[in-house]
Each structure stands twice: as C-alpha cells, then as structure tokens.
Amino acid sequence: MVQLEWTGRRAIRAVFLSLLGFLTVVSGLPVLGRTWGRLETWVLGQSGVSVGIDWHSIGIGSVLQIRVPYPLLEGPWPSTSHWLIVGGGTAALLLASFLLPMRFLPARYFLRFVAAVQSVALVYFAFATPPFPYPLPGYIGGLMTVGMAILALVPIALGFGFYIFDHSLPRQILLTVMIVGHLAILLPLQGLVHAILINRFSLLVQPTLFFVFGVLVEVLVFVGFYGWAMSWGGSEIPQDVGTGARL
Amino acid sequence: MTLADGLALALWVVVAVLITYTIRHYVFTLNRVFGRFRQPYVDIGIADWPTVAVFVPAHNEEKVIGGMLEALLAADYPAERFHIVPIDDRSTDGTGGIVERYAREHPGRVRPYVRTEGKPGKAAALRDATSRSEAEIFLVFDADYLPGPNLLRQLVAPFFDPEVGAVMGRVIPHNLNRSLLTRLLDLERAGGYQVDQQARMNLRLIPQYGGTVGGVRRSALLDVGDWDEDSLTEDTDMTFRMVLRGWEVVYQNRSECYEEVPENWPTRIRQIQRWARGHNQCLRRYAWTLLKSPRHLRFAQVIDGLLLLGVFAVAPVLLVGWALATALYFMGYPIEQGLLILFAVASYSTLGNFAAFFEVGTAARLDGSRNRIRLLPFLSFGFLVNLLAVSRATLSRRSWRAPGAHGPDWQKTERYRGGNGENGR
C-alpha cells in the first residue's frame, strides 16, 4: 500500500519551510508594495490613462508598515448609457451560453453564473441612489490588501498540501517561488484591469469583478501550479501504474 | 439585531458548515497518506471459501452484459463454490437472449433470473433474486462493470470476520481517455475511493457499501430486513441499516473493478442527481436515528455518518451562502466586518476550497498518475456543474417525499460499449 511515514524530520521540515516562507514573504511586502506602485505607474502611462496613484497604509502591529498602491481613478455612478451597454453585454452573455454546444456545459453554466451576478447588479443600480457603499479606491485597496494576505498564506497552504510529500528541497522552494512570483505580478495588473473597467463601465461591473474575477483568480492560479507540482516525481510514487498499482 | 446582522449570522453558519467539510477533507487525506492501513484478510489464499452467488441486475444491458459475464466466468474462485445470477428485469432489448445463451453454454454456473412482474428497480430486483438463493455471500455488480480475475476472492475475504456484514471494492473508470469529463471523473473517483473510503476504513468510521462492486453477508441482509424496494440508492441505504444494526462495513482498496463513467455532461448530471436524491432519502431516514447515537457506535462514527448523509445537502447550502453574500454586499454591510465574511464565501468556501483539490491531487499521486494531476484546476468546472445539478436535485420534491406504491423505477446510466452481445468476446 503506497503511503508515507510521518516522521519528526518530515514534520519539522514542513513547519520550518512554511514559517520561513511566510516570514520571507511578509518581510518583503513593503518592498513589494513600492514595486507595485512603480509597476502601476508604468502600466498606466503605457496605456494612456493619465492618472497617478495613491497609497493605502496597513500596519502589522508596530513591526511592519506596508503601503499598498491604488490608481486614482473614479468609479462613476452608472448612467443610462452605462446601464444599456452592460445590460446588452449581459444579454449577449446569456444568449451565448445557450448557443454553446452541450459538450461545453461547464462553460455554459459559468457564463450564466456571470450573467446572474451581473443581472443582480443591473437591478440594484436601476433602483439604488448614490453613494455606493464600496467606492473604487477602497475596493482596489481592499483587493490588493487581500492579495498580499494570500501571498503570505501561500507557504502555509503548501505546508499542509505539498511540503509533506517526498519532493526535494529545491523543488519545494521552486514551487513556492513560482506561485508567489506569479501572484506578485498578477495582483497589481488584475487590480489595474478592475480599476480601468470600473472607470469605463461604471460601478455597475464592480460586483461581478469582485465575486467572479476577484480572489477566485488567485485561487485557481494556486491550484494550477499545485496540480503541476503534484505531477512531479517523488519516491512515494509507484513506478508501475498497471493493475494493482493503485494500492 | 438588524436584517444585515441576521443575514451575516446565517452566512457564518454556512461558512461553519463548509469549514467542517474542509476539515474532514484534510483529516481523511492526511490519514490516507500517513495513517495505518486496514485491509483485513485481503491476501488470504488457501481457505474454506464460502458459497457465493454473484448477482448482476440488468435492465436493457445488451451492450455490456456479455462482457460482464465473460469477466465473471474467468474469476479465480472455486468453481463449485460460486454461481452467477444475471437478473433480467423486464429488458426489451437483447439482454435476455444473451443471458440465455450464457446459461446454455455454462449450465449450473450461470443461472438467470427473469423478472416480469413486481416493482421495477434494482433494489426490488435484488430482493426477489437474493430471497431465492441459499449462498452464504451475495456479491453484486452493475452490468457495465469489469471485475478482474482476483476480485471475487478479495471481496469475499473480509467476510471471514463474522462481524462484517458488507464489503465494498474500488471502482476505477476504464474509459477515462474519452473526454475531459471522463478524466475529471477519474480524478473525482480517485479522491473518493483512494482517500475518502480508505481513510474511513483506517479510522474505523463508516466506509460506504456501494452496490456496484460489493457484497453482503446473507445472514446480515436478513438481519437488517432485506433490500428496501423503495430505496433510490439501495447501497447507501444498506450501509446505514447495517451500521445501525451493529454490522461492520469494510472497504477494500485493492479490490479493483472497472466501470464506464459518463462520457457526456447530460448523462453525468442525471447520474449525480439520482445519487443526490437517493442520498437525501437516506438523510431523511437515518439522520435522526444516528443523532440518537446507538450505544455500539462511537461518537466519531456518528459524526462521520451525519457528514456522509449530508454530503449532497451541502450544495444548496453553498448556493444559499452565495445568495447571502451577494445580499450583504449590496446592502453595504460594513466593509471592516463584511470583507472577511464576503471573501470567505467568495473564495475559500466555493471553488477555492483547497482541501478538495488537496484530496484529489493526493489520491491521483498515490495512484501513480502523473500528467492527469495537471487537470486539477479543471475540476472547478466539474464542481460548478455538480453544485447546480445536485442543488436542483436536492431541492426537488422527489428528494424528500416517499416513493409511491409503484416504487422507484430503473435509473440507468447511458452505456457506450459496442453491443450485440459480443462485447465480451
């Protein structure tokens, strides 16, 4: 029967790597925040959006002060034209979900899910009056802050799910670096895309971006890398995968 | 308390339910990886083997029944100690002819039982057929399954323990290269059997008897009152009746049998909705009895039993969580308090529930699968379809009302193998 032995060495290694990774990421967050600021400024400049950035400060006790950047874009209250454009897009999405062949059923369901969330937003903004409880700068600042928390939690999650297996130390470190590195680049770009979309299409699209294209994207990136790494070889993997190997 | 506070409280309850199942995933997976294995009598060779009747309920199974009978006839079990009973329940295709041919070619070993009246359905068919058999052990296979030659011995071996009432083997898809869906189902099955079932076995909880690759002891069956004709999932029903009467249910991870999994989404949806309705029927029947905690059950078994019974009811709970989170969001629930709860539902508790991926990834790794594990993120799509299909089935009236006098009808999954009774040749 294929299984692993739970030894003190394995436990210590998993805990040590998790803590080391956690502390490394957390101590790097101030630098990461500044780097995100420079990246956002550069991307905004390249894309012709002439706005600056501001900073949202968070502190972890008195030990660490982190500044999280966000673009100085406004999320306008939806106008009639915004409502019609987004409403038309939602209808098109819904129609597309019915036109897709049955073999794409998960995609059909996903499109309908997106359309459902967006429809709720359309109904809400048809009747609501300003102000919206979550203005754009605060929303982006929140997204970035949660993103930083996810970055710090990556090594902890891997401690449970990956460091316990018989991978070599370089591979364990490699996976951690790949996930953290990927998310560190993805997060500010994702925040910028959200900000620009909300700026162009109004607060009408913010709920959909929050619920469907928010933290779920990071989680799926994590699972994608994790699935790849779990396919790497290791001493506990049976070499013969024929009958009887699934022991 | 404001309306928003009430909704937030309800959402925290939903999150608590989801966290409970997450902890369960972690406990099972870590136990499967590091825990002590239980696989009683699995390698026994020379023994006084009990008499066995192998039942194969079939309703319009001409595409697969031949292959099944061929596989059973090749089984490594003392020939004078076992016979095969294909149950032809009102088939209107070529099933009857194929079964008759095998009976002629293998007199005494293949003993068909033809049903033309009585309640339809697998449980009713089994009840009729097993009541006519004097064998000590009844093995039951679905008609589309392909047992390996050693499977019969492996499934019968645990019955040397007189406390064992039912045994379940492992199901592995053999058509996994047909589509993305079959590959995803292979991953799901791996998680369910390699990790979930084996961990339950290791921890002496409640492994589930499955009516597709398993067996029951005749005396135990009679003790619990025979198959329930009104049960939508006779296997889950049998599991809980056995456990509540003090019989042990055993899972044998090494006893592999090969099945066809659905190759298209509509078939998959019908299958999982059928399971959901049957499971919920058992939830309605046995949850209260379990809660009253019969003295022979340990607290951990009661908890595991309740979580097992509730597994399909979680889907609509999750949908309710999404609805509550959406409502709170638009109500402007204070961001300082709301952010955590909203993110909990929007990410951790839904597609991002990493514990499920951990379980499936670990199972596939222990199976020796390599490239298949890379499909892990695509499971999210499967989860989304399952979530909606199961919620729909759970919220339907059929999930909660008792079947009528007619009883449950045959609920079959589409078959894909070539037909004409030559599939076993």
Side-chain angles (χ1 to χ4, degrees):
Chain A
M1 207 50 95
V2 178
Q3 64 182 131
L4 300 175
E5 192 182 353
W6 181 250
T7 60
R9 189 169 170 232
R10 187 189 298 278
I12 290 168
R13 189 178 65 174
V15 172
F16 176 74
L17 278 177
S18 296
L19 285 178
L20 182 68
F22 174 76
L23 292 173
T24 305
V25 173
V26 168
S27 60
L29 289 179
V31 177
L32 188 67
R34 289 195 294 274
T35 309
W36 281 1
R38 282 195 287 273
L39 180 67
E40 288 187 7
T41 306
W42 182 78
V43 172
L44 285 168
Q46 292 295 311
S47 53
V49 182
S50 52
V51 294
I53 58 167
D54 204 345
W55 301 87
H56 171 70
S57 291
I58 50 174
I60 302 174
S62 57
V63 183
L64 210 60
Q65 289 298 316
I66 304 164
R67 296 205 310 156
V68 183
Y70 60 88
L72 284 169
L73 284 167
E74 284 303 314
W77 188 263
S79 63
T80 306
S81 59
H82 284 134
W83 201 95
L84 289 173
I85 290 167
V86 176
T90 307
L93 216 57
L94 200 59
L95 181 66
S97 80
F98 285 100
L99 295 177
L100 278 174
M102 276 305 280
R103 67 177 184 278
F104 294 123
L105 188 73
R108 290 169 64 143
Y109 278 16
F110 178 72
L111 290 180
R112 285 174 204 173
F113 174 63
V114 176
V117 175
Q118 190 56 60
S119 299
V120 175
L122 285 164
V123 172
Y124 172 85
F125 282 105
F127 297 101
T129 50
F132 189 58
Y134 313 107
L136 180 56
Y139 165 71
I140 299 295
L143 186 68
M144 296 292 98
T145 305
V146 171
M148 284 190 166
I150 289 175
L151 282 177
L153 289 174
V154 165
I156 305 290
L158 291 177
F160 265 111
F162 189 71
Y163 299 155
I164 56 172
F165 290 102
D166 284 340
H167 294 286
S168 65
L169 185 63
R171 281 186 168 176
Q172 292 178 335
I173 294 171
L174 177 65
L175 176 65
T176 315
V177 170
M178 281 196 303
I179 296 178
V180 171
H182 190 100
L183 293 180
I185 295 170
L186 172 69
L187 275 160
L189 298 178
Q190 183 188 14
L192 275 180
V193 169
H194 281 209
I196 291 170
L197 285 174
I198 294 166
N199 178 254
R200 295 279 159 82
F201 295 100
S202 79
L203 290 166
L204 205 47
V205 295
Q206 186 170 307
T208 306
L209 292 172
F210 171 71
F211 279 108
V212 187
F213 301 103
V215 182
L216 284 184
V217 176
E218 276 70 40
V219 172
L220 285 178
V221 166
F222 179 91
V223 172
F225 275 107
Y226 177 76
W228 178 33
M230 285 292 274
S231 73
W232 296 344
S235 61
E236 81 280 15
I237 297 292
Q239 297 304 305
D240 172 17
V241 293
T243 302
R246 296 167 183 255
L247 308 181
Chain B
M1 181 187 278
T2 63
L3 175 63
D5 288 336
L7 294 180
L9 184 64
L11 189 50
W12 276 118
V13 172
V14 170
V15 171
V17 170
L18 299 172
I19 287 175
T20 305
Y21 276 92
T22 298
I23 291 170
R24 174 178 176 260
H25 278 307
Y26 274 117
V27 169
F28 283 178
T29 310
L30 292 173
N31 173 273
R32 172 58 188 89
V33 176
F34 298 110
R36 182 172 166 273
F37 249 88
R38 284 186 68 220
Q39 42 179 349
Y41 299 100
V42 72
D43 284 324
I44 197 166
I46 299 169
D48 183 16
W49 292 95
T51 52
V52 170
V54 182
F55 295 92
V56 185
H59 174 70
N60 293 335
E61 296 284 11
E62 66 176 8
K63 287 185 177 179
V64 292
I65 189 76
M68 177 57 175
L69 294 176
E70 284 290 335
L72 284 174
L73 286 165
D76 176 23
Y77 198 85
E80 71 285 1
R81 310 289 285 172
F82 95 102
H83 63 274
I84 305 162
V85 185
I87 309 171
D88 174 17
D89 190 11
R90 281 164 278 209
S91 294
T92 52
D93 64 354
T95 303
I98 297 167
V99 166
E100 281 303 320
R101 196 179 72 229
Y102 274 92
R104 280 196 308 276
E105 292 175 3
H106 304 277
R109 295 194 69 195
V110 179
R111 306 175 192 175
Y113 174 61
V114 182
R115 290 184 88 222
T116 53
E117 54 189 17
K119 285 184 180 179
K122 185 176 171 182
L126 280 171
R127 187 182 176 103
D128 277 1
T130 53
S131 66
R132 287 166 171 77
S133 176
E134 294 298 321
E136 296 164 77
I137 305 296
F138 300 152
L139 297 184
V140 181
F141 293 101
D142 272 2
D144 63 318
Y145 281 53
L146 292 171
N150 298 320
L151 187 70
L152 264 54
R153 281 179 187 260
Q154 290 174 351
L155 286 178
V156 170
F159 288 109
F160 284 117
D161 181 345
E163 294 181 27
V164 171
V167 172
M168 171 67 183
R170 180 173 176 186
V171 178
I172 294 172
H174 65 74
N175 58 336
L176 76 165
N177 63 343
R178 300 302 294 263
S179 65
L180 175 63
L181 172 61
T182 57
R183 287 174 182 272
L184 296 182
L185 291 177
D186 175 58
L187 288 175
E188 272 189 32
R189 298 281 200 277
Y193 287 100
Q194 179 70 278
V195 171
D196 259 31
Q197 284 274 63
Q198 185 60 51
R200 282 202 187 94
M201 183 68 192
N202 295 345
L203 292 163
R204 295 180 181 275
L205 299 174
I206 302 182
Q208 195 176 351
Y209 161 72
T212 50
V213 187
V216 295
R217 186 190 298 277
R218 181 168 176 271
S219 56
L221 181 67
L222 295 176
D223 182 50
V224 302
D226 215 335
W227 306 98
D228 182 351
E229 294 178 333
D230 292 329
S231 173
L232 296 169
T233 46
E234 84 293 338
D235 43 8
T236 309
D237 186 85
M238 183 57 64
T239 301
F240 281 91
R241 283 197 286 142
M242 286 270 181
V243 167
L244 288 168
R245 286 286 295 172
W247 291 96
E248 191 180 346
V249 178
V250 164
Y251 170 67
Q252 290 283 44
N253 198 48
R254 278 175 64 178
S255 305
E256 296 178 355
C257 195
Y258 308 97
E259 67 157 347
E260 277 188 348
V261 286
E263 294 181 5
N264 57 62
W265 289 101
T267 309
R268 166 62 178 164
I269 287 174
R270 283 194 294 276
Q271 181 188 57
I272 200 167
Q273 286 188 325
R274 187 174 75 245
W275 292 350
R277 283 192 289 268
H279 223 82
N280 292 333
Q281 184 189 48
C282 292
L283 172 65
R284 179 167 51 85
R285 286 178 170 180
Y286 304 116
W288 179 242
T289 316
L290 262 177
L291 268 173
K292 287 193 290 186
S293 300
R295 261 184 293 180
H296 67 272
L297 290 180
R298 290 179 296 118
F299 179 68
Q301 284 180 300
V302 173
I303 297 296
D304 180 51
L306 290 171
L307 291 176
L308 181 59
L309 284 172
V311 77
F312 282 99
V314 171
V317 170
L318 185 52
L319 280 186
V320 169
W322 273 353
L324 289 169
T326 309
L328 284 168
Y329 177 84
F330 283 109
M331 289 168 75
Y333 195 65
I335 195 81
E336 299 79 15
Q337 300 167 41
L339 196 65
L340 176 64
I341 199 168
L342 289 173
F343 273 114
V345 171
S347 57
Y348 163 79
S349 300
T350 55
L351 300 180
N353 186 342
F354 174 62
F357 295 102
F358 175 44
E359 178 180 299
V360 173
T362 300
R365 186 171 175 81
L366 292 173
D367 273 346
S369 306
R370 298 287 289 274
N371 295 339
R372 286 208 290 282
I373 312 180
R374 296 175 190 169
L375 292 173
L376 217 48
F378 289 93
L379 272 179
S380 308
F381 293 112
F383 290 162
L384 180 62
V385 174
N386 288 352
L387 175 73
L388 296 175
V390 169
S391 296
R392 203 169 157 188
T394 299
L395 297 174
S396 72
R397 281 194 304 161
R398 284 179 65 190
S399 246
W400 304 102
R401 71 177 182 198
H406 179 66
D409 211 337
W410 273 96
Q411 305 284 328
K412 282 162 50 59
T413 303
E414 187 181 333
R415 311 293 189 219
Y416 305 95
R417 244 177 287 160
N420 303 323
E422 300 303 320
N423 48 66
R425 307 286 171 152

